[in-house]
Amino acid sequence: MELTRYDVGMSQNQKEPRSEQGTMRVKRGLAEMMKGGVIMDVVTAEQARIAEDSGACAVMALERVPADIRRDGGVARMSDPEMIESIQAAVRIPVMAKARIGHFVEAQILEALGVDFVDESEVLTPADEAHHIDKFAFTVPFVCGATNLGEALRRISEGACLIRSKGEAGTGNIVEAVRHLRSILGDIRRISQADAAEQFDWAKKLQAPLPLVQEIARTGRLQVPLFCAGGIATPADAALAMQLGAEAVFVGSGIFKSDDPAPRAKAIVEATTHFRDAHILAKVSRSLGAPMTGIGMDEINESQRFASRGW
Amino acid sequence: MITQIGVLALQGAFASHAACIAELGHSPVEVRNTADLNNLDALIMPGGESSTMSQLLASSVLFEPIKDVIADGLPIFGTCAGMILLSHEIVDGKLDQCCFDAIDITVRRNAFGRQVDSFEANVDTVIGDFHGVFIRAPRIEAVGEKVQVLGTYGGEPVLVCQANVLAASFHPELAGDVRLHEYFINSFVTTKEK
């Protein structure tokens, strides 16, 4: 068979046709590619390989999973670049990493490392009590957490191109993520029925930019993809989030804090794809060993809740 | 007439493709199991993570049935990860990653670099200029003699076809322009019915 070969090294040196990088379309594009998938927290290259082998569509590289951050206390910061690089070297799928809320220098460092997505995350200790990062200033796309639609729209107005529910990370308890998804998606449904005068009131109530509220009234959807995070521990949790209207799921402590991570990771991937098929959900939920133990919300003081961080 | 266009919905940007199909007045069908493959006039394989889809094609017992419908001549359109899955050979993929060998191209996964290197640029195609969105895009490193190059960027092939298979390394579903989907339906699907 005759093959025509293309020298892939060449066009680096050639004068390339005009192209644009870091546009909203390009940044949002990667979020579109992760839909229907599972993004897994990993703390070592070995875990990253297990996640990729199990069908993760991306990994979140961090030094400690949220359950351990919660246990250890103290200040939680961006991970060691060396650790992030070892995970980038281990897998072909996108690698995300977390920066502290408002800590734009951590984000600059993560961008320089070539991470594919930055999570401006409430799981780390906030660095700024009033300001989030100006995410338009970056080429790398950002995901931010939200507990309600107002928070989601404020993050979008700062340049976030993916929103996730905050849930309550590191608890293995889905209840907060369900609350956040229901609040965000319920308000979107209500706004899509609102007349012009009511839209002004919604913008005021949500403390969100009016044009974004008006756009939701027109389209009936959030401007960027909406994923679920915070408390997913089982395949059924993942399918619940998807049936409620999340478009993909983040699983933090739920996989590598369980008894047998690889089969659980695979099962959660399958459950996220086949989220409406109860027979498949029943099949993949079998004999996975014990999930992470989990924490009830009444066992956590208000001051120790990650979800209340961010403004 | 309205055609039923399947969109492989295991993982990735299937919803954007379905929206393009609906905008053209056809009926998109999300494909997650073998029963969903019945009565399709065409099948789209979207972008996403090719290793994830590869895994899910196996666990959902869809690999062989899709290989069969491709061999039977069902029109197929693969974009980005979808193109990787359709290729003859994957370079830099995961070792156990499978592909359908439906079009004689050699593809390097993520060859344009990480997300910070992703870009949009004009692509010169058979239907004229098209706005190409390249997300951690694969690169077509070699094409066989049966492959027709239908679009190029910087002199390299980015849109190719062979028999019933059309493949793009970029994302027409994110361009806000349904002309390539229209071209696929007009040139691959409608022609087949005649």
Side-chain angles (χ1 to χ4, degrees):
Chain A
M1 176 67 59
E2 273 295 300
L3 282 179
T4 311
R5 297 225 153 249
Y6 293 87
D7 183 354
V8 297
M10 232 173 63
S11 62
Q12 307 288 338
N13 311 319
Q14 277 176 352
K15 192 167 163 272
E16 286 205 3
R18 206 173 71 87
S19 69
E20 289 179 280
Q21 295 180 322
T23 60
M24 273 316 271
R25 199 199 294 269
V26 165
K27 291 191 204 175
R28 264 191 56 181
L30 185 57
E32 294 288 332
M33 294 312 131
M34 294 188 300
K35 282 185 177 176
V38 182
I39 301 134
M40 303 181 190
D41 277 7
V42 296
V43 300
T44 62
E46 178 53 25
Q47 287 187 356
R49 274 188 287 269
I50 293 173
E52 186 178 44
D53 286 343
S54 308
C57 71
V59 290
M60 176 79 69
L62 69 178
E63 259 160 3
R64 291 175 291 171
V65 294
D68 291 337
I69 292 174
R70 189 177 288 288
R71 187 201 58 207
D72 296 349
V75 174
R77 311 179 178 88
M78 178 191 81
S79 297
D80 181 344
E82 200 173 322
M83 176 268 169
I84 293 170
E85 281 170 344
S86 73
I87 286 171
Q88 286 174 315
V91 296
R92 307 293 304 160
I93 53 179
V95 175
M96 303 186 171
K98 291 184 194 290
R100 284 180 263 178
I101 289 173
H103 206 314
F104 50 86
V105 174
E106 283 188 348
Q108 289 164 3
I109 292 170
L110 293 175
E111 181 173 70
L113 290 171
V115 306
D116 294 293
F117 237 104
V118 173
D119 184 4
E120 187 181 15
S121 177
E122 71 283 359
V123 169
L124 304 184
T125 311
D128 190 319
E129 291 183 326
H131 309 93
H132 281 251
I133 297 171
D134 168 17
K135 292 164 275 283
F136 287 111
F138 289 79
T139 303
V140 66
F142 278 74
V143 51
C144 290
T147 60
N148 57 51
L149 185 58
E151 222 178 334
L153 293 179
R154 289 195 292 279
R155 295 299 82 79
I156 291 169
S157 71
E158 295 156 0
C161 47
L162 172 60
I163 296 294
R164 55 170 175 77
S165 64
K166 284 183 176 171
E168 191 56 39
T171 61
N173 188 338
I174 194 70
V175 66
E176 293 298 306
V178 168
R179 183 207 312 281
H180 302 160
L181 285 176
R182 281 202 180 277
S183 169
I184 294 168
L185 291 161
D187 279 352
I188 288 173
R189 282 188 284 268
R190 285 182 276 275
I191 288 174
S192 63
Q193 303 296 316
D195 69 18
E198 288 165 340
Q199 290 166 28
F200 291 114
D201 188 45
W202 271 108
K204 190 172 68 186
K205 251 191 332 219
L206 293 174
Q207 296 178 274
L210 177 65
L212 293 184
V213 171
Q214 288 168 327
E215 193 183 343
I216 287 177
R218 206 166 53 241
T219 64
R221 26 182 324 121
L222 197 64
Q223 286 80 356
V224 303
L226 174 66
F227 293 1
C228 177
I232 291 175
T234 67
D237 289 346
L240 175 65
M242 295 295 286
Q243 285 198 28
L244 283 170
E247 297 173 290
V249 300
F250 286 84
V251 185
S253 320
I255 289 170
F256 290 100
K257 282 283 161 190
S258 72
D259 272 4
D260 197 358
R264 180 166 299 269
K266 263 188 194 133
I268 292 177
V269 168
E270 286 188 51
T272 304
T273 293
H274 301 286
F275 64 94
R276 281 197 206 93
D277 189 329
H279 293 287
I280 293 183
L281 297 176
K283 195 182 92 189
V284 303
S285 299
R286 282 194 186 112
S287 42
L288 294 176
M292 67 181 286
T293 311
I295 309 172
M297 282 311 129
D298 45 9
E299 297 167 50
I300 310 175
N301 290 334
E302 202 54 49
S303 65
Q304 280 155 351
R305 295 205 178 185
F306 295 153
S308 56
R309 297 167 167 180
W311 6 97
Chain B
M1 84 170 243
I2 294 177
T3 52
Q4 304 258 4
I5 312 279
V7 184
L8 190 63
L10 297 176
Q11 192 271 319
F14 50 86
S16 307
H17 274 293
C20 293
I21 296 304
E23 192 181 328
L24 287 166
H26 299 288
S27 152
V29 180
E30 290 188 359
V31 173
R32 290 190 176 84
N33 57 51
T34 45
D36 297 332
L37 284 173
N38 295 334
N39 307 317
L40 294 183
D41 297 300
L43 177 65
I44 292 177
M45 297 194 191
E49 285 308 315
S50 56
S51 48
T52 302
M53 286 187 225
S54 199
Q55 177 99 31
L56 285 160
L57 280 167
S59 65
S60 311
V61 208
L62 266 172
F63 187 80
E64 288 302 327
I66 289 180
K67 202 165 169 60
D68 291 345
V69 297
I70 297 174
D72 288 345
L74 187 76
I76 311 282
F77 185 12
T79 60
C80 195
M83 177 180 86
I84 297 177
L85 291 175
L86 291 167
S87 68
H88 167 67
E89 190 189 351
I90 305 169
V91 185
D92 254 7
K94 240 164 63 58
L95 286 176
D96 57 347
Q97 201 171 332
C98 53
C99 52
F100 290 109
D101 192 9
I103 178 163
D104 192 11
I105 54 175
T106 302
V107 168
R108 184 180 293 272
R109 193 177 173 191
N110 306 146
F112 286 98
R114 299 184 184 281
Q115 174 61 15
V116 288
D117 306 308
S118 292
F119 62 96
E120 40 187 323
N122 184 60
V123 174
D124 187 14
T125 78
V126 66
I127 56 164
D129 285 352
F130 195 87
H131 193 69
V133 183
F134 293 81
I135 309 286
R136 298 176 87 247
R139 208 158 196 165
I140 301 173
E141 294 201 336
V143 301
E145 60 185 1
K146 289 186 185 150
V147 177
Q148 223 184 320
V149 176
L150 299 177
T152 57
Y153 164 71
E156 291 181 28
V158 292
L159 179 68
V160 290
C161 80
Q162 178 182 331
N164 54 321
V165 178
L166 177 67
S169 52
F170 56 97
H171 292 282
E173 77 281 10
L174 300 182
D177 177 354
V178 294
R179 282 180 304 141
L180 263 182
H181 289 83
E182 192 176 25
Y183 167 78
F184 170 62
I185 291 167
N186 289 344
S187 307
F188 288 71
V189 186
T190 324
T191 322
K192 187 185 151 239
E193 280 158 13
K194 278 174 190 163

